[in-house]
Amino acid sequence: IAWHIAKSLNNANSNIIFTYVNDRFRDNIEKLSKSLNDNYLIVECDVTDDESIRNCFKVISEQSLSHPLKHRL
């Protein structure tokens, strides 16, 4: 369901931020995102690790995506 929502948002030219907790999820997101336009960002975010959360927000704030939608797959 989440992937279909992401595709619909992408079709509406929305900016999307995908977060993942480990490499297994990153690999899946990277494969799926190849079908999207360039309005997305993929960022690691382990919600059990405060440093990972801080780094995630740092990476997001450094990007030029305006009005990002955050959705975790």
Side-chain angles (χ1 to χ4, degrees):
I1 293 174
W3 182 245
H4 291 289
I5 293 169
K7 285 181 17 180
S8 293
L9 291 168
N10 183 72
N11 290 339
N13 292 318
S14 298
N15 296 324
I16 305 167
I17 298 174
F18 297 102
T19 60
Y20 64 92
V21 69
N22 60 40
D23 290 341
R24 184 177 68 108
F25 289 103
R26 184 195 66 210
D27 293 344
N28 290 337
I29 293 170
E30 286 179 348
K31 288 176 190 173
L32 292 169
S33 66
K34 289 180 182 180
S35 66
L36 302 178
N37 63 30
D38 291 335
N39 295 357
Y40 69 89
L41 180 63
I42 302 172
V43 183
E44 181 177 10
C45 187
D46 179 352
V47 297
T48 65
D49 179 0
D50 290 343
E51 185 61 32
S52 179
I53 294 169
R54 280 190 288 276
N55 187 59
C56 175
F57 279 93
K58 179 182 177 200
V59 170
I60 291 168
S61 69
E62 292 171 349
Q63 299 303 311
S64 62
L65 296 176
S66 60
H67 308 292
L69 171 72
K70 300 170 190 117
H71 185 84
R72 183 163 185 253
L73 290 178

